[in-house]
Amino acid sequence: MVSSWGRLGQWEHELRPLAERAQLPRQLQAAGPGLAHGMGRSYGDVCLNPGGVLWRTTGLDRFISFDQDSGLLRCEAGLLLRDIQRLALPRGWMLPVTPGTQLVTVGGAIANDVHGKNHHAQGSFGDHVRRLELLRTDGRRIDCGPQHEPAWFAATVGGLGLTGVISTAELQLRRVAGPWLETETLPYASLDEFFQLADASESGWEHTVSWIDCLSGKGRGIFLRANHCAAAGRAVPPARARSMPFVPPVSLVNQFSLAPFNSAYFNLQKSRAGKALAHYEKYFYPLDNLHEWNRMYGPRGFYQYQSVVPRAVGRAAVQAMLQAIAASGEGSFLAVLKTFGERPAPGMLSFPQPGVTLALDFPNRGERTLRLFERLDAIVGEAGGRIYMAKDARMPRALFEAGYPRLAEFTQYRDPGISSAMSRRLMGN
Ligand SMILES: Cc1cc2nc3c(=O)[nH]c(=O)nc-3n(C[C@H](O)[C@H](O)[C@H](O)COP(=O)(O)OP(=O)(O)OC[C@H]3O[C@@H](n4cnc5c(N)ncnc54)[C@H](O)[C@@H]3O)c2cc1C
């Protein structure tokens, strides 16, 4: 039985671990319609194939080569971003783009073309992939990159695992002076202030992100910006890993806990306003040391709703979404608001587009939660936005098709031996 990060259910799968590159062509051919599965850190059904085969890629975790002068890294696609950071950082290099957890595989990061807090400066993960090897279930190997077989590359970056199995990738890392970032925490009182801060920060700060209190009604929140810096001699803080030890019978995030949670969090962060120095693991991956934190939503699991809408209508659309959430009586603690830059996306189905993205976690309360999503969908659709597939488990097909205009082009590159719960739900097969 396998579930994804949202724990909305558990489904029977036939698990087939992949570990040896030489055996991959045979392993992929022998199976029925299958799907690559990395760390299962996607929230919804993009990494699931109920009743079918999952090719577990985490055994494909070898470094192949690393050029310390150029920062070019070749590795297998099941390698974790954490292991790349730990190898590269002491040598003065780092991944240019990283999501909010480093416990994901290179293949998963490419297939969802993940983004970080620095989209306006560095684009998305796929912007830093120089080449990749794709294995098709008919035994074909396709070597592609932005310059070589660019259409295969654009279909596979953000291609949701549907074009084949990525076996290896070549990544261009970026130089850093060390593991430290200088950060600044700025409380804001309204959405207007958020947009002013975002505009003012984009040229001088590489990383920008904000937490928004979606219950306050005013759009107050905490804006965090950061740049890499040198901090020689600074001791690295010891990491203390903890675990959510059990699944509580009901979600700990609920109508009683949310308002006090959000208020306490806002006030705590406000009291920390100003500049500080942060270690990259604490800054980029604040939840990685609380293992299985997704259990706190109880046995019914949770949804994440992440949308992006164009900048010109961004303020009005975000305001409308916050109002719809307040009116619904549902609420979110992990609510993140940030802007994306203008850079064109590398993948046909990449999520980032110029604009503002809002990501919200909601405990699964069945019909009530789904009704709220219908209202949010209407706002996103009208604004010309889209929903992020790495997080989705329920978006309607019409919104998917409207949000991803290169879908028909993408479909030509699909591997007929690969299918997922999401592809069946949104693409019909
Ligand atoms: C705490 C947390 C924070 C997050 N923050 C962010 C964030 O800031 N930005 C962001 O963009 N995302 C974020 N995510 C989402 C996460 O980065 C993506 O879902 C990522 O793709 C998960 O990688 P994975 O290895 O777990 O892949 P899985 O979830 O197992 O699979 C994801 C997709 O990749 C495909 N895939 C996996 N391996 C291969 C392969 N070798 N070849 C072909 N296809 C493959 C799968 O078929 C599936 O379609 C976050 C997730 C969590 C849990």
Side-chain angles (χ1 to χ4, degrees):
M1 300 292 255
V2 180
S3 62
S4 63
W5 194 247
R7 302 183 70 255
L8 289 162
Q10 292 203 333
W11 292 269
E12 193 103 32
H13 289 83
E14 187 187 329
L15 291 178
R16 299 207 182 171
L18 306 180
E20 297 299 331
R21 266 183 288 149
Q23 290 174 15
L24 293 182
R26 186 186 50 77
Q27 285 180 301
L28 302 185
Q29 278 176 58
L35 181 72
H37 183 91
M39 287 291 280
R41 265 1 191 225
S42 300
Y43 285 67
D45 57 2
V46 71
C47 59
L48 299 174
N49 182 21
V53 170
L54 280 186
W55 296 302
R56 293 295 310 264
T57 64
T58 45
L60 290 170
D61 59 353
R62 296 169 191 85
F63 289 98
I64 299 171
S65 63
F66 181 49
D67 181 335
Q68 291 201 41
D69 295 324
S70 67
L72 206 61
L73 172 84
R74 261 194 90 212
C75 65
E76 292 182 343
L79 189 65
L80 297 188
L81 302 194
R82 179 196 62 193
D83 298 336
I84 296 178
Q85 302 286 51
R86 289 184 180 174
L87 172 100
L89 255 150
R91 295 165 174 82
W93 297 93
M94 187 175 201
L95 286 163
V97 170
T98 168
T101 171
Q102 55 180 342
L103 302 176
V104 303
T105 62
V106 168
I110 295 173
N112 275 325
D113 191 19
V114 300
H115 57 272
K117 300 173 173 59
N118 58 353
H119 184 268
H120 60 278
Q122 297 276 6
S124 54
F125 197 88
D127 283 311
H128 307 278
V129 180
R130 293 290 163 260
R131 284 185 105 90
L132 59 84
E133 184 187 72
L134 186 68
L135 296 179
R136 304 274 288 179
T137 57
D138 62 5
R140 234 172 115 196
R141 273 175 202 276
I142 297 168
D143 184 23
C144 60
Q147 314 297 338
H148 176 67
E149 299 282 10
W152 278 105
F153 183 73
T156 301
V157 170
L160 315 173
L162 299 173
T163 61
V165 173
I166 303 162
S167 59
T168 62
E170 198 172 285
L171 310 176
Q172 177 62 59
L173 306 192
R174 52 88 52 89
R175 275 245 179 246
V176 283
W180 297 98
L181 294 113
E182 55 177 357
T183 68
E184 187 169 12
T185 301
L186 300 143
Y188 60 88
S190 66
L191 278 182
D192 287 330
E193 265 186 51
F194 162 80
F195 281 104
Q196 280 157 16
L197 278 170
D199 287 343
S201 304
E202 274 177 14
S203 58
W205 295 84
E206 176 170 340
H207 301 278
T208 62
V209 69
S210 90
W211 171 83
I212 182 161
D213 179 354
C214 71
L215 296 180
S216 78
K218 296 173 255 170
R220 72 174 180 182
I222 303 290
F223 194 91
L224 197 58
R225 53 193 188 185
N227 277 326
H228 296 271
C229 69
R234 188 89 188 189
V236 175
R240 267 175 289 136
R242 274 167 287 202
S243 236
M244 179 75 196
F246 61 94
V247 181
V250 292
S251 171
L252 299 182
V253 180
N254 55 47
Q255 63 271 46
F256 306 109
S257 65
L258 259 171
F261 245 32
N262 278 13
S263 255
Y265 184 77
F266 180 77
N267 289 319
L268 177 71
Q269 295 302 323
K270 200 171 160 189
S271 72
R272 293 179 177 165
K275 296 200 168 158
L277 204 59
H279 187 257
Y280 80 97
E281 287 198 331
K282 201 163 168 222
Y283 179 76
F284 289 127
Y285 318 116
L287 289 173
D288 276 0
N289 275 330
L290 181 57
H291 299 308
E292 300 191 277
W293 60 260
N294 53 345
R295 289 175 164 187
M296 76 180 169
Y297 287 92
R300 299 179 76 183
F302 69 109
Y303 290 95
Q304 180 156 119
Y305 190 97
Q306 181 168 5
S307 60
V308 56
V309 291
R311 194 72 169 253
V313 291
R315 196 202 166 287
V318 172
Q319 178 79 54
M321 285 195 263
L322 294 179
Q323 278 164 356
I325 294 164
S328 73
E330 304 291 297
S332 174
F333 172 65
L334 289 170
V336 174
L337 183 63
K338 71 165 266 86
T339 47
F340 282 152
E342 298 293 319
R343 191 192 276 238
M348 294 175 189
L349 298 188
S350 290
F351 168 68
Q353 66 172 29
V356 54
T357 177
L358 177 64
L360 306 144
D361 282 2
F362 292 96
N364 174 19
R365 298 211 288 157
E367 270 308 305
R368 297 176 58 125
T369 317
L370 295 174
R371 273 201 305 275
L372 167 63
F373 292 158
E374 282 170 21
R375 289 195 286 279
L376 300 182
D377 287 348
I379 297 165
V380 173
E382 195 160 314
R386 56 171 69 139
I387 307 279
Y388 190 10
M389 263 98 79
K391 312 289 179 75
D392 182 61
R394 40 61 54 198
M395 100 169 98
R397 199 160 162 176
L399 185 60
F400 171 61
E401 288 171 359
Y404 290 91
R406 295 183 72 183
L407 178 61
E409 189 187 352
F410 167 78
T411 305
Q412 305 165 48
Y413 297 92
R414 277 197 59 182
D415 185 321
I418 294 185
S419 171
S420 68
M422 173 171 278
S423 73
R424 295 194 282 279
R425 178 167 62 83
L426 293 175
M427 303 176 200
N429 63 338

